[in-house]
Amino acid sequence: MARETTRRRVKNEIRWTPRLIKHLRGKRTQAEFGALLGAPKNTVWRWEAGHAQPDASYAARLAELAQRERFLKEWNLVGSMQLIGELESAQAEIAALFRQSLERTIRHLAE
């Protein structure tokens, strides 16, 4: 029972963006992908174009398909700074880099 609750919570946490939906669809046509989800191909097109968001029932179906295909299993946050627990120092570092860039631009324009 607890495992099912955890699964439901994880499914609801995924925000299905157009790019994420396109990646999950892969090489399947929109019609094939829609058939897997029980959605018309035009609905899939609207999701991928950013004109609509999947409602809760479709979001759950997308999450189930993603879980079945082990989609997102190996995804990691990639970036140039660690943000967890380091937001203040990251903000200061970004501000310093921005300041240096502005100073360099000002020097270059003054020449």
Side-chain angles (χ1 to χ4, degrees):
M1 187 71 151
R3 188 177 196 182
E4 181 123 351
T5 304
T6 304
R7 262 191 213 155
R8 284 186 189 147
R9 200 173 335 132
V10 170
K11 287 178 189 175
N12 293 334
E13 290 176 7
I14 298 174
R15 183 174 176 275
W16 290 101
T17 63
R19 178 182 283 173
L20 205 54
I21 293 169
K22 284 180 188 178
H23 282 336
L24 179 60
R25 178 167 64 92
K27 293 183 180 184
R28 293 177 276 228
T29 66
Q30 290 175 335
E32 292 168 339
F33 189 65
L36 283 172
L37 302 169
K41 74 175 185 174
N42 291 340
T43 299
V44 174
W45 177 85
R46 285 193 302 270
W47 294 339
E48 291 181 353
H51 296 297
Q53 289 279 332
D55 65 20
S57 65
Y58 285 126
R61 292 176 195 169
L62 285 163
E64 288 170 10
L65 180 62
Q67 186 176 13
R68 223 177 21 245
E69 295 184 356
R70 296 181 182 267
F71 184 72
L72 303 178
K73 185 176 189 253
E74 300 297 322
W75 284 33
N76 295 317
L77 177 64
V78 177
S80 60
M81 295 184 185
Q82 271 190 335
L83 295 180
I84 298 175
E86 309 241 351
L87 289 176
E88 289 178 17
S89 63
Q91 182 181 9
E93 188 176 344
I94 291 169
L97 290 170
F98 184 70
R99 202 173 309 111
Q100 289 172 359
S101 176
L102 282 176
E103 290 168 357
R104 230 182 350 259
T105 301
I106 290 169
R107 280 194 308 267
H108 180 20
L109 290 174
E111 294 175 355

